[in-house]
Every structure is written in structure tokens, then in C-alpha cells.
Amino acid sequence: MDSFIIEGGHALKGEITPQGAKNEALEVICATLLTDSEITISNIPDILDVNNLIQLLRDIGVKVTRKDKGTYSFQSDALDLNYLSSDEFVSKCAQLRGSVMMIGPLLGRFGRATVAKPGGDKIGRRRLDTHFLGFHKLGAVYNRVTGRNVYELKADKLCGCYMLLDEASVTGTANIVMAAVMAEGTTTIYNAACEPYIQQLCRMLNRMGANIKGIGSNLLTIEGVDKLHGTDHRLLPDMIEVGSFIAMAAMVGDGIRVKDVSIQNLGIIPDAFRRLGVQIVEDGDDLYIPRHTHYQIDSFIDGTIMTLSDAPWPGLTPDLLSVLIVVATQAQGSVLFHQKMFESRLFFVDKLIDMGAQIILCDPHRAVVVGHDHKVRLRAGRMSSPDIRAGIALLIAALSAEGTSQINNISQIDRGYEDIEGRLNALGARITRA
């Protein structure tokens, strides 16, 4: 198992460009299953989760061609549908959470799909009820196969309907949209997720011949069509990686420019860092973060302690709370973080406490951080990455710590960040993969 050895205390300086968006990649790559025509997708990140999904598509017969770095073409004109029921396919799906988004396209185009309980981050319960309820309303039936922990979904014909989602699930919305684009009639989805990546998926589907209205809102209307065709698509920059670089720049930066970030699609992310006192300069489509020897956490207008909490878009993405917590450890002031969506995501803070951070874990969903104001540096330590976002948060902490740290289980980081040590070492970090 690979580890990172990090020599802390080295200032980072220069320019860095975010990779293509991981979460968007998983959605739009699965959408290529909806047509037998060729689809070309560019700006695809070279990361573990995406590479495993691409291989899974190859396994079921998708013709995948690498045209250039980050650019692939996909053609799903000769799929082996029998492979979908094999133990090998089920085993691979169980190790890759992104595989869950194959259900909608397969159900929409072929009327059948098989799903195992998906893998991914260990951040708490991540239920699939929203997906299944949506498929059921479109006319699919599902059956749990005893002894295999597998669900089989089938539909002779999908029919459009009105549905109110029980939660604004991003993957649930993506899956239901992909199932509905070729359903008969009109599908109306209320309380739909409206993240930029969902918007990107819907625009790509429309270029393929779908008819989706309401893009960017939580009310989507989909007129079913008989057939979809090919298109070209480019992924947005990864907003979570942009936020991670802002955090690094605030903690250990000596002037860092994050290039081509698509500011209009970052939503509230820059302002969340500004509430912690981080100065961010917008320059065209770049963000420049100057050196910070001091930054002070805001309070609310009435003087009460600042609270940062996650929420569906356009609220703050839960994927960035981990790195915001690390940034707060060196701020002046106190802040309450409220992680509403996942009950295990804050458990990594015990590792920050071991490094000397002043954090009170109130319960599985809330933590209070009392900042050191750079008067006390974090201590180096040995730790293990429990999930992608906690992993990058621990890496940021180690970069700012005094001494040499070791982070184990970095395959979790590799799932979401492309060549992170190489890119940060180019800015002046000292990270070795062991």
C-alpha cells in the first residue's frame, strides 16, 4: 500500500491548473451508454475512480479510444448485456461507487440493469432509495437477488411521470434524468439537484438530441425522445480541487494562482473561505491567493460565532468541509462546522487533534475549531486517509506541520486527485510516494 512522506514547512509558490471535474466525469461517461453513436469527452482527469469506470465500460463492450491526454471517445454499439449479470461485473461495481450511474442509461436504453451495493468513501450511509424510487415511478421493477446482495431492475417500457424527489441527490438526479430522456411522454422532476455537473450532463444530453428544460433549477421537465446521437463534451474544472488549492495557498502559500477555474461555476465556495479570513483575488477566470501570515474568522452580524454548514447547491458542497476545517485550525477565532449529510465524515478530525489542532467534536455532525492564529504550528504525524476529501485535508495539514509526516492508504487520495504530489512538488512542496 502506497504512502506519502511529507516534509512540512515549505512554502508553495507559482501557478496550478485544476483537473477536470471528477463527479461530472462519472456522470457523462455513463451517459455514453445511451447511444450507439460515438461521443468524445475531453478534460477527463487521470484518477483512479474515473479510470476504473472507463475499464468497466470496456468490460461490457464499449469501444474506448484515447485520442489525447484527457480526451477519450466512447461508442456503445456492441454491448455484452449478459456480462451485466456476471459475478465479475457485480464484484467490480461493488468496489466503485461511480458504477451506480450506469443503471439509468442501461435501464433507459435496454430496459434492464444490475446493481451491487456500491463502494467508495467510508463517510457514512449513502442510500440509493432516491434512485430506486425514481426508477419505480418511471415504470421499472426491482428485485433483490438473495445471497448476492444484488438488485436487478427491469422495465418493458419506461413512461414519463411527475415525481418529487425525497432528497436533492446529485447522483439520484443524474440517474433518473438519464433513464427518463428516452421514456415515453413527459417526466417532471421536482427537488432535482442543480449542481453545475448536473447542468453539464443535461446540456450534453440535449446536444445528443434529448429535450430537457429547466436546467439550472430544481424543476426539470424532460420530453422523451426515441433515439440519441453522438456529441463532443468538455468537463468543467473540478470545483473541489479548486477549493483544495485555495486551502493550501492560505495555509502554506507564498502567492499561488489557480488558473482557469470557471468562477461562475464555483458558487459559494470562494465566499466560504473568505468567511475564514482568506483573501482571494479574482483575475479574469483565475484566482490569486496571496501569502497569509494571519487571517481572522468572521462572526455573524449579531456577533455570534460563525457557522459553516453543507447544503445542496447552491449551498456549500460537503466535499469541502474537511479542507475548510484544516484552514480554520490556523485562523484567529472560532467557527462551528455542521456536516449534515454524512455521519462519519468528521471522524478524521481526531488525526488533526493528534497534530495539535484545537477541535471539539461535538457529535458525528458538528465540530468547533478554535484557531491557533499561526502562533502554534501543527505537529507532524503518522496517519491514514479514510476517504478522498479527508485525505487531501490531511495532506494540507501535513504540508503546514513542523516535521515529517506519513499518510497511509493514499489510494483514497488517488481516487480523486491526479498526480497530486507531482503538481504540488512543482510549487515547492516536498512530497515523496513510498
Side-chain angles (χ1 to χ4, degrees):
M1 182 180 295
D2 284 359
S3 301
F4 280 149
I5 308 299
I6 305 104
E7 186 180 308
H10 297 281
L12 308 187
K13 186 179 180 66
E15 297 181 346
I16 192 165
T17 302
Q19 66 190 26
K22 166 185 176 283
N23 291 337
E24 181 187 347
L26 298 177
E27 294 173 11
V28 299
I29 288 172
C30 288
T32 65
L33 294 168
L34 282 165
T35 178
D36 59 6
S37 300
E38 183 181 58
I39 294 176
T40 300
I41 303 174
S42 58
N43 203 29
I44 294 177
D46 184 10
I47 56 177
L48 201 57
D49 272 12
V50 170
N51 292 338
N52 286 344
L53 179 62
I54 290 173
Q55 184 56 50
L56 194 58
L57 293 191
R58 284 192 176 105
D59 290 343
I60 66 173
V62 178
K63 299 182 180 73
V64 181
T65 304
R66 184 179 186 273
K67 294 191 169 184
D68 201 350
K69 177 176 170 54
T71 301
Y72 290 80
S73 68
F74 303 83
Q75 188 162 8
S76 305
D77 59 347
L79 301 186
D80 180 5
L81 298 181
N82 292 326
Y83 182 72
L84 301 176
S85 300
S86 69
D87 289 340
E88 182 180 353
F89 176 76
V90 168
S91 175
K92 289 182 177 181
C93 286
Q95 299 172 45
L96 176 64
R97 180 155 188 86
S99 65
V100 74
M101 280 180 288
M102 296 171 62
I103 307 172
L106 290 170
L107 193 61
R109 182 178 169 196
F110 300 107
R112 56 182 284 201
T114 304
V115 59
K117 183 178 179 180
D121 293 328
K122 308 304 180 186
I123 56 175
R125 190 166 58 99
R126 305 178 78 175
R127 61 190 184 88
L128 298 178
D129 296 59
T130 303
H131 306 240
F132 280 63
L133 290 171
F135 297 144
H136 180 67
K137 289 182 177 181
L138 290 172
V141 295
Y142 54 89
N143 175 55
R144 186 176 185 275
V145 180
T146 305
R148 296 185 71 200
N149 200 23
V150 166
Y151 287 90
E152 292 180 344
L153 295 94
K154 294 181 181 179
D156 293 332
K157 180 176 67 173
L158 295 180
C159 296
C161 65
Y162 169 85
M163 64 179 78
L164 173 61
L165 301 188
D166 63 333
E167 65 172 345
S169 164
V170 177
T171 54
T173 299
N175 237 341
I176 295 166
V177 166
M178 288 188 282
V181 288
M182 290 197 290
E184 185 177 291
T186 303
T187 301
T188 303
I189 307 172
Y190 197 21
N191 195 30
C194 52
E195 272 77 358
Y197 306 145
I198 291 289
Q199 298 175 38
Q200 284 281 95
L201 171 67
C202 290
R203 292 187 184 107
M204 171 179 157
L205 291 172
N206 277 352
R207 291 196 304 274
M208 293 168 63
N211 186 354
I212 306 171
K213 295 183 175 66
I215 298 172
S217 76
N218 67 348
L219 181 62
L220 296 175
T221 303
I222 304 167
E223 296 288 342
V225 298
D226 293 330
K227 188 175 177 61
L228 298 176
H229 52 74
T231 190
D232 293 342
H233 181 77
R234 181 174 177 82
L235 302 181
L236 287 174
D238 195 308
M239 69 170 78
I240 312 303
E241 194 170 66
V242 172
S244 303
F245 294 152
I246 295 172
M248 291 176 191
M251 290 284 284
V252 294
D254 187 19
I256 291 180
R257 178 177 294 272
V258 189
K259 295 187 64 63
D260 303 326
V261 300
S262 188
I263 290 174
Q264 65 177 349
N265 289 299
L266 293 180
I268 203 172
I269 289 172
D271 286 337
F273 284 96
R274 290 182 177 116
R275 286 190 162 189
L276 297 182
V278 177
Q279 182 184 354
I280 302 173
V281 179
E282 297 182 6
D283 182 10
D285 209 25
D286 299 350
L287 298 179
Y288 178 74
I289 302 91
R291 181 182 179 90
H292 285 71
T293 56
H294 168 83
Y295 48 95
Q296 184 171 351
I297 298 169
D298 286 344
S299 59
F300 287 119
I301 292 174
D302 62 0
T304 54
I305 185 172
M306 175 60 60
T307 299
L308 289 178
S309 57
D310 58 337
W313 185 269
L316 180 62
T317 171
D319 284 347
L320 275 177
L321 281 190
S322 300
V323 299
L324 285 162
I325 287 172
V326 172
V327 173
T329 65
Q330 291 300 322
Q332 179 183 342
S334 301
V335 56
L336 169 65
F337 289 93
H338 190 176
Q339 160 59 266
K340 299 173 184 175
M341 296 189 184
F342 304 108
E343 62 268 20
S344 302
R345 188 157 238 165
L346 293 184
F347 286 164
F348 86 102
V349 302
D350 63 342
K351 300 172 178 64
L352 297 178
I353 294 170
D354 290 341
M355 297 175 76
Q358 296 186 78
I359 302 175
I360 303 166
L361 185 60
C362 308
D363 55 45
H365 292 277
R366 295 178 301 160
V368 175
V369 181
V370 181
H372 286 308
D373 193 20
H374 284 94
K375 291 182 172 62
V376 179
R377 284 179 61 185
L378 297 177
R379 298 185 297 268
R382 182 168 183 161
M383 59 208 96
S384 181
S385 171
D387 64 76
I388 300 175
R389 308 311 174 188
I392 202 68
L394 293 174
L395 179 59
I396 295 168
L399 289 169
S400 72
E402 189 172 18
T404 300
S405 299
Q406 179 172 328
I407 301 177
N408 299 322
N409 194 31
I410 60 169
S411 60
Q412 288 285 1
I413 301 175
D414 290 336
R415 287 178 48 217
Y417 292 85
E418 178 180 337
D419 186 27
I420 191 64
E421 72 272 28
R423 296 157 75 201
L424 295 183
N425 286 343
L427 298 179
R430 303 281 181 87
I431 306 171
T432 304
R433 183 179 292 258

